[in-house]
Amino acid sequence: MKKLLAITMASLALVGCSGRKQAADTADSESPVAADSVAAGHFDVRDLNGFKLHIYLTDDQMGDASFIIEGADSLVTLEQPLFKVNAAAYDSYLASLGKPVAHRIADFHLGNTADATILMPEGMPEVVKGPDYSGMMAHFAEVYGDSIEPLPTGETVEVPFGATVTLGGVPFTFLKGAANDFPGANILMGKDAVYSHWAPAKAHINTLYAADIAGVDARLAELEACLATGATLFVGGHGMPAGVDEVRFRIAYLNKVKELRASLPDAAAFAAALVEAYPSLPGEDGVQALAESLYK
């Protein structure tokens, strides 16, 4: 976990820039059922089987996304925003839906839930209190100051991995996330959508996503598990909404990473071969750092 924290600190700028670039590049091509502009970022609304998924692409410094799941009579929030400008826009939009908030979920990201009770995957309440996660949040406070929300103070309720709980009339299945990440969940919402820490994308990975071959294997296992749910929409705390094609692309890409790492002698050869295999793929500026991490 200490290694993950160090990578997080080193990668904040990369994540933020990458997230904002992907949002700018794909906002128009990811055609939503409905879209509403807000003061910061924008909402992408998807009509799914039995509920609506409101995807808030914050355009914040870390490329975060937040969500509202709208059932027939009530709302469930997921990964509420960290930055105050986004929290205000999110809360205003939430209120405009005219339904009560039945539950709030914090999976990987703490946000502006204040003193509300939050649901978390098993193990995460202890992790967020521990030195690594709390140190990360303290670092954010140092870097961003008064522009971010105070840490939540409400009670937490743990949801076991493998459990399905019905919230706001919508079933949520908490599947164990990638082994190289915080012990958060990949959450199947209804039958159509899966939330993960990172949305799959047709882009190069960075070292926060996978820093070694064990991490690549963990991400492959995660993607295969997400694909096996039968979902057609894949969203993340970072990244744009994606479909089955993006999941399959990412699986093929990670297998290529493994193939090149096993067959090439050094980081320079690996980086050159990966760029050659995927010319013009977004995120090329991070390939050298990925190569150096894989060859440590």
Side-chain angles (χ1 to χ4, degrees):
M1 193 68 73
K2 289 182 179 179
K3 182 178 180 183
L4 179 60
L5 175 60
I7 296 170
T8 300
M9 302 309 183
S11 304
L12 283 178
L14 174 62
V15 172
C17 292
S18 175
R20 290 194 293 276
K21 184 179 187 303
Q22 286 184 15
D25 289 347
T26 61
D28 292 334
S29 62
E30 291 287 352
S31 180
V33 172
D36 294 281
S37 296
V38 294
H42 72 280
F43 276 90
D44 175 341
V45 185
R46 306 295 176 106
D47 239 332
L48 302 177
N49 186 19
F51 67 99
K52 286 184 179 181
L53 180 62
H54 303 255
I55 305 163
Y56 179 36
L57 300 165
T58 65
D59 196 29
D60 70 11
Q61 288 90 329
M62 289 178 279
D64 286 349
S66 299
F67 306 87
I68 301 166
I69 298 86
E70 180 182 1
D73 302 311
S74 60
L75 309 169
V76 177
T77 73
L78 170 63
E79 308 291 65
Q80 291 187 208
L82 177 63
F83 287 86
K84 288 181 178 178
V85 63
N86 299 114
Y90 179 92
D91 285 347
S92 177
Y93 183 92
L94 186 69
S96 76
L97 296 177
K99 296 178 181 178
V101 177
H103 300 278
R104 300 177 191 265
I105 303 170
D107 191 353
F108 290 94
H109 295 164
L110 295 176
N112 70 316
T113 53
D115 61 354
T117 297
I118 53 176
L119 279 69
M120 303 189 81
E122 65 175 279
M124 272 303 282
E126 284 304 310
V127 168
V128 301
K129 295 174 187 174
D132 297 316
Y133 199 102
S134 60
M136 180 178 70
M137 297 306 292
H139 178 74
F140 292 164
E142 290 176 5
V143 172
Y144 300 115
D146 192 48
S147 65
I148 64 172
E149 291 283 338
L151 289 176
T153 58
E155 296 181 0
T156 57
V157 175
E158 293 187 59
V159 180
F161 291 118
T164 298
V165 292
T166 299
L167 309 171
V170 179
F172 291 76
T173 301
F174 282 61
L175 306 170
K176 192 167 179 58
N180 67 326
D181 211 336
F182 291 119
N186 294 326
I187 302 175
L188 174 63
M189 298 174 281
K191 297 180 179 179
D192 299 323
V194 172
Y195 167 80
S196 302
H197 194 180
W198 298 83
K202 293 182 178 180
H204 288 291
I205 64 170
N206 60 46
T207 53
L208 185 55
Y209 181 82
D212 52 28
I213 291 300
V216 171
D217 284 335
R219 293 299 181 181
L220 279 167
E222 175 187 41
L223 290 165
E224 294 285 4
C226 289
L227 201 57
T229 65
T232 56
L233 176 63
F234 301 86
V235 297
H238 304 287
M240 299 295 294
V244 171
D245 284 350
E246 283 79 8
V247 179
R248 289 177 176 157
F249 175 90
R250 177 55 58 84
I251 289 171
Y253 174 96
L254 292 176
N255 279 317
K256 174 61 75 172
V257 167
K258 290 185 65 177
E259 173 194 324
L260 295 177
R261 177 61 182 85
S263 62
L264 296 174
D266 55 41
F270 171 92
L274 189 60
V275 170
E276 183 179 3
Y278 296 98
S280 303
L281 196 67
E284 187 176 311
D285 54 348
V287 168
Q288 187 59 44
L290 172 68
E292 291 169 2
S293 181
L294 291 172
Y295 280 79
K296 276 184 179 177

